[in-house]
Amino acid sequence: MGTFERLRQLSPILMGLFVIFFILFMVLADMDIGSLVGGGENPQTAIIANVNGKEIKYVEFEGRVRQAVEQQRQALRQQGREDEEIFEDDIRAKVWQAMTDRALYESIADEAGIVYSDKVVADKMINFPSREVKDMFTDSTGNFMREVYLSYITNPDNVSGYMGPQAANLDPQEKARIVSDIRERLMSMSDYTANQIVASGIQSLLGNVGSAISLEYSRKKYIAENSSVEFDYISFDTKGIPDPELDDKELRAWYDGHKEYMKGDARRKIKYVAFPMKASSADTVNFNRKITSITNALKSKKNPQERSEVFDEKMNEFGGNTTDYTLSHDINPNILTLLSDLEISDYYGPFNMEGKITYLRLDDKRQGENEAVNASHILIKFDSNKDSARKVARNISKRARSGEDFSTLAKEFSLDKGSALNGGDLGWFTKGSMVQEFEDAAFALGIGEVSKVVESDFGFHIVKLINKSSSEYKYSTISLSPRISSASKNMIFRDAYSLIENVDQGGIFDSVAAKLGSKATESSFFSKDQTVLGNNFINSFAFSNPVGTISEPIELDNYGVLVFMVTDSREKGPIPFEDKASEIRHYVMNQKKLDLAKLEAEKTHPQLNDANFSLNENFKSASNVKNNGAIIGIGAREYALTEMAFTMPLNTISKPIAGHNGYYIIKVKSRNIVSDEQIEQNLADYHQTLIQNTARQVFFPFFQEIKNNVPVVDNRIKWYNNF
């Protein structure tokens, strides 16, 4: 039984059986019918991935995708952005990454003998929540709300346990949505916690690597990081040297001498033709006809009531949207400006909004039903001396009520650091959003008024009302944008299939594309873990088919309809000279330039002395230089140069020093070496920190190396043509 299923069965914290049924429902209700083909497999039992022996079921994967899509849809709806496009392929890619990484973590844990069970995960979540998890349950004063957190993870159905009294006002549908969202969040939190446990275990194992660091090495590194030098230098840079002549024979000789180091992973190359998915001239004419139809129909009516009736007709015809009563501060400012100038039942339009031609109608407006305020506050916490805190708060309140700038006082005194940065501004909020004492004070104030000291469980507050509003608007919109007609889309696909047919009959890919008015583009070589044109299907296809195979047309964001052909392949092993020629040319040319720079440096060195060193045309100075190769004004790190600066005698002229960008002659003026006393005081802690950091640094390459080499069966190509 897989870990995901064990977690769900054994721990009420981790979704429970509810989620299994929810996943099945979402998958069966919303599944793309085209994906049901799946090479003839049953989607209920099909395996979409196998990561080092850990299987991921298609139904589980697609269920997580559907949940994520629905969560994003709900978030957009709550923000009034329900018309915004949801990029499902991007979501699917993120879910894939998360689930395959989780499977890999499980595999590593099994092989390394790391204790990894439902009980361990649950115990860590309850008793040792991570900083990231704590941040989700931190109040405005920075305190971790442990009781709320425990209620949240141990009983997600008890909405009132973490939402407070306002939970009683939720309708059953909204309450069910919140519970569902919480369960999904818990699953993500459990995944994150489980991964942390495995990562921590591996880091402990890798700590042996860190423990190999000697105290003497730590001492040298501490000295290097906390000491500096100042020196003058003359550079003999390769940039000013003309490119020498090189021939292929010389480059091939270098390649043959270093072939054993020229190895690479398997790679593929494709050629592709993109047929843009854009509206035809006929589509544009049709779109303009619709706009003219709506505009003329609305203008033909003489009073708002008749225009409103026409607006309803056009909403039904073209799919309009009605936004229920919304407080003014929650409405798009551009829309709010237009609504403010309209009478009820009247409209404004057409106008361009976010790339769509839009018509706007004011359905109704009201005052006093709901109220929102924009307030600022200054928080003084009780700590151990409540009387002293009250005295401080009263003094600040008095200063604010006397006319001192509230924002300045908040930045200086408020212990709610989040709002203090904004002068205490808490933004807009409605009743039920804040603790009762604070809310009563804020809603009782007049605009610009400052309260006396208000006490709550968080401390003492001084509140200033910036603005208040109870204006609500109900409005409707009709939004249209040019769409590609079925006829236009069919013409685009016809050209794509024509390309495939002609190539299958012996035509040359580039030539056939040119006859169709398109251009074939060739990719560079790519490896199996690289995304091509933002689409993983292309990569999977290229590695699953021989050279010469041409794809079916696929729709691709930002490209349109794409047809591609596998044109070349390289298997794992020695990289051919042709693939490395450009890189070899650059390296050999730079080495030849370095040889010329060396000759110039050796020629100049005997002529230098203390009197003329600074007169050289390539003279420069460097200060506060650490022994880490970094020197301001020099591109690449020059480790040999900084090492020499820390070891050679002061006020002497060095011999030419070889670097990546050229040769250098230096003269060290001064050194600031950390004292023995400071070294002895800090070395022990520094040594331990270095061991811990080394273990962490080793972990990520270690994990990536495992990720690159474990067997992974990726069956997405059976179910999707865009991922």
Side-chain angles (χ1 to χ4, degrees):
M1 181 181 295
T3 299
F4 290 115
E5 294 179 6
R6 293 200 306 272
L7 290 174
R8 289 172 181 150
Q9 289 184 12
L10 298 177
S11 176
I13 301 172
L14 308 177
M15 305 273 284
L17 290 174
F18 169 85
V19 170
I20 295 177
F21 295 124
F22 179 75
I23 288 173
L24 292 173
F25 171 78
M26 292 299 289
V27 171
L28 295 177
D30 294 328
M31 191 180 291
D32 177 5
I33 299 300
S35 71
L36 290 175
V37 179
E41 293 186 63
N42 181 347
Q44 300 300 318
T45 58
I47 302 301
I48 196 168
N50 186 311
V51 182
N52 204 27
K54 296 288 182 178
E55 293 181 343
I56 300 175
K57 292 181 178 179
Y58 168 80
V59 68
E60 185 175 56
F61 172 72
E62 189 62 20
R64 292 287 291 273
V65 172
R66 292 295 150 205
Q67 289 177 357
V69 169
E70 183 59 27
Q71 277 190 314
Q72 185 167 336
R73 184 175 288 116
Q74 289 174 1
L76 291 174
R77 193 179 296 126
Q78 291 168 1
Q79 298 167 27
R81 298 158 54 200
E82 54 269 18
D83 293 335
E84 206 167 291
E85 183 178 1
I86 294 175
F87 295 99
E88 191 168 313
D89 294 330
D90 292 344
I91 293 174
R92 184 172 282 110
K94 290 176 182 177
V95 172
W96 172 267
Q97 191 66 56
M99 293 186 74
T100 52
D101 276 0
R102 172 67 184 271
L104 181 55
Y105 271 107
E106 288 185 20
S107 170
I108 294 171
D110 290 348
E111 294 179 9
I114 296 169
V115 178
Y116 177 76
S117 67
D118 307 322
K119 186 178 182 303
V120 171
V121 173
D123 180 67
K124 184 171 177 63
M125 287 183 67
I126 292 173
N127 298 309
F128 307 101
S130 67
R131 179 179 57 79
E132 290 81 1
V133 171
K134 280 185 174 181
D135 286 346
M136 296 169 60
F137 297 89
T138 299
D139 61 28
S140 61
T141 65
N143 294 317
F144 174 52
M145 300 181 292
R146 182 170 180 80
E147 294 304 317
V148 175
Y149 169 69
L150 290 177
S151 174
Y152 185 98
I153 65 171
T154 57
N155 190 5
D157 293 300
N158 179 23
V159 179
S160 61
Y162 44 84
M163 288 194 65
Q166 62 260 44
N169 300 323
L170 294 173
D171 61 61
Q173 185 177 1
E174 177 65 9
K175 185 175 180 180
R177 185 197 65 75
I178 291 174
V179 170
S180 175
D181 180 64
I182 288 167
R183 290 180 183 276
E184 172 60 20
R185 286 174 181 267
L186 287 172
M187 189 61 184
S188 298
M189 287 162 61
S190 73
D191 284 352
Y192 178 80
T193 302
N195 289 353
Q196 271 196 324
I197 291 170
V198 179
S200 178
I202 294 171
Q203 286 182 20
S204 296
L205 294 176
L206 294 175
N208 295 327
V209 177
S211 64
I213 296 173
S214 69
L215 194 62
E216 184 58 29
Y217 173 82
S218 296
R219 178 187 298 275
K220 290 181 178 179
K221 191 169 177 61
Y222 181 82
I223 293 172
E225 290 180 1
N226 293 277
S227 303
S228 62
V229 297
E230 182 178 0
F231 60 86
D232 295 332
Y233 67 99
I234 298 172
S235 64
F236 301 85
D237 202 322
T238 57
K239 292 179 182 178
I241 299 175
D243 292 346
E245 292 291 331
L246 296 173
D247 57 36
D248 281 352
K249 185 177 180 180
E250 185 175 5
L251 299 181
R252 283 186 177 276
W254 191 96
Y255 170 81
D256 291 337
H258 300 80
K259 188 184 295 186
E260 61 182 301
Y261 305 109
M262 302 284 179
K263 295 180 180 179
D265 294 328
R267 291 165 297 148
R268 298 292 185 269
K269 183 184 284 190
I270 64 166
K271 280 187 179 179
Y272 64 90
V273 174
F275 299 90
M277 188 71 78
K278 59 184 180 182
S280 66
S281 57
D283 294 333
T284 303
V285 169
N286 185 44
F287 171 72
N288 290 333
R289 189 180 296 122
K290 291 177 182 178
I291 298 300
T292 302
S293 168
I294 297 172
T295 302
N296 290 343
L298 289 168
K299 285 184 175 180
S300 68
K301 304 304 177 183
K302 297 182 179 180
N303 61 68
Q305 185 58 41
E306 290 179 340
R307 288 195 289 270
S308 184
E309 291 174 0
V310 170
F311 200 97
D312 284 334
E313 293 174 5
K314 297 303 179 183
M315 282 185 67
N316 290 330
E317 184 178 352
F318 297 108
N321 181 65
T322 296
T323 301
D324 207 353
Y325 291 102
T326 305
L327 285 162
S328 57
H329 70 273
D330 287 329
I331 299 174
N332 181 311
N334 296 324
I335 296 293
L336 182 61
T337 300
L338 297 174
L339 291 173
S340 302
D341 294 334
L342 290 175
E343 298 294 331
I344 292 175
S345 295
D346 217 343
Y347 81 97
Y348 179 84
F351 64 97
N352 192 311
M353 185 176 73
E354 297 179 353
K356 295 183 178 181
I357 300 301
T358 304
Y359 297 82
L360 173 71
R361 180 183 66 186
L362 175 60
D363 298 331
D364 196 13
K365 57 184 175 182
R366 66 186 186 187
Q367 296 272 354
E369 290 287 329
N370 298 292
E371 189 174 31
V373 296
N374 183 2
S376 295
H377 85 136
I378 298 170
L379 174 68
I380 304 299
K381 293 184 181 180
F382 298 149
D383 294 326
S384 59
N385 194 332
K386 193 170 183 179
D387 290 336
S388 175
R390 182 184 287 107
K391 184 176 180 180
V392 171
R394 284 175 174 171
N395 180 53
I396 296 171
S397 174
K398 183 178 179 180
R399 291 171 62 179
R401 289 156 67 87
S402 298
E404 283 196 49
D405 182 64
F406 193 91
S407 176
T408 302
L409 291 171
K411 290 176 181 177
E412 183 177 354
F413 295 107
S414 181
L415 294 178
D416 178 1
K417 298 305 180 183
S419 66
L421 293 173
N422 298 317
D425 190 355
L426 295 169
W428 287 89
F429 55 89
T430 54
K431 289 185 177 180
S433 303
M434 301 290 183
V435 293
Q436 195 64 48
E437 303 89 346
F438 186 94
E439 179 183 292
D440 291 343
F443 278 85
L445 292 171
I447 294 175
E449 190 177 356
V450 178
S451 73
K452 294 182 180 179
V453 174
V454 178
E455 181 179 343
S456 79
D457 290 340
F458 297 109
F460 294 114
H461 308 264
I462 303 96
V463 186
K464 179 178 180 179
L465 187 68
I466 300 171
N467 204 349
K468 67 168 54 178
S469 174
S470 64
S471 299
E472 293 180 280
Y473 294 86
K474 181 179 180 181
Y475 60 94
S476 298
T477 55
I478 301 171
S479 295
L480 299 174
S481 57
R483 292 188 176 182
I484 303 173
S485 65
S486 296
S488 297
K489 185 176 285 191
N490 288 338
M491 289 179 65
I492 294 169
F493 272 94
R494 183 196 65 192
D495 287 345
Y497 279 109
S498 177
L499 170 65
I500 296 170
E501 184 179 356
N502 278 277
V503 172
D504 284 342
Q505 293 175 358
I508 298 173
F509 193 85
D510 301 60
S511 302
V512 175
K515 289 179 181 178
L516 292 169
S518 298
K519 181 182 178 182
T521 303
E522 188 170 49
S523 74
S524 56
F525 274 108
F526 53 86
S527 59
K528 203 166 188 176
D529 60 350
Q530 287 180 284
T531 300
V532 184
L533 304 182
N535 184 281
N536 289 307
F537 172 84
I538 297 173
N539 183 298
S540 293
F541 184 94
F543 275 90
S544 303
N545 292 280
V547 171
T549 307
I550 191 167
S551 74
E552 291 292 307
I554 62 170
E555 286 191 54
L556 207 58
D557 293 338
N558 303 319
Y559 288 92
V561 176
L562 199 81
V563 175
F564 61 93
M565 183 171 71
V566 185
T567 56
D568 205 350
S569 69
R570 295 281 189 269
E571 298 311 319
K572 186 174 183 179
I575 301 174
F577 169 77
E578 291 73 21
D579 295 355
K580 300 291 289 185
S582 177
E583 184 180 332
I584 293 171
R585 177 177 292 276
H586 176 78
Y587 178 82
V588 173
M589 185 174 293
N590 190 61
Q591 288 302 118
K592 284 183 170 289
K593 287 185 176 183
L594 280 173
D595 290 341
L596 294 173
K598 179 182 180 181
L599 291 174
E600 185 64 26
E602 289 176 341
K603 177 182 175 182
T604 303
H605 180 261
Q607 305 171 22
L608 296 173
N609 55 50
D610 291 341
N612 66 14
F613 192 87
S614 62
L615 301 179
N616 188 281
E617 60 179 351
N618 295 316
F619 171 85
K620 295 176 184 177
S621 294
S623 60
N624 195 31
V625 177
K626 307 287 186 183
N627 194 2
N628 59 10
I631 304 168
I632 295 175
I634 298 178
R637 286 183 180 257
E638 298 288 20
Y639 294 98
L641 181 55
T642 57
E643 178 67 23
M644 178 63 75
F646 272 87
T647 56
M648 68 177 286
L650 293 176
N651 299 312
T652 59
I653 298 173
S654 74
K655 292 181 178 180
I657 305 165
H660 293 290
N661 292 336
Y663 273 74
Y664 307 90
I665 299 174
I666 69 172
K667 181 180 179 182
V668 181
K669 297 192 291 185
S670 64
R671 290 193 192 94
N672 180 19
I673 306 298
V674 62
S675 67
D676 291 340
E677 181 181 355
Q678 186 177 340
I679 294 171
E680 295 308 316
Q681 182 178 350
N682 298 308
L683 183 59
D685 290 341
Y686 179 82
H687 182 59
Q688 288 303 315
T689 301
L690 193 59
I691 290 173
Q692 293 167 7
N693 289 344
T694 301
R696 279 196 291 268
Q697 290 166 6
V698 169
F699 169 75
F700 294 107
F702 168 82
F703 181 73
Q704 192 61 45
E705 183 67 19
I706 291 177
K707 195 171 181 179
N708 291 339
N709 289 284
V710 297
V712 176
V713 178
D714 181 352
N715 291 326
R716 283 179 294 174
I717 195 171
K718 295 181 179 180
W719 302 91
Y720 315 104
N721 63 6
N722 198 353
F723 58 87

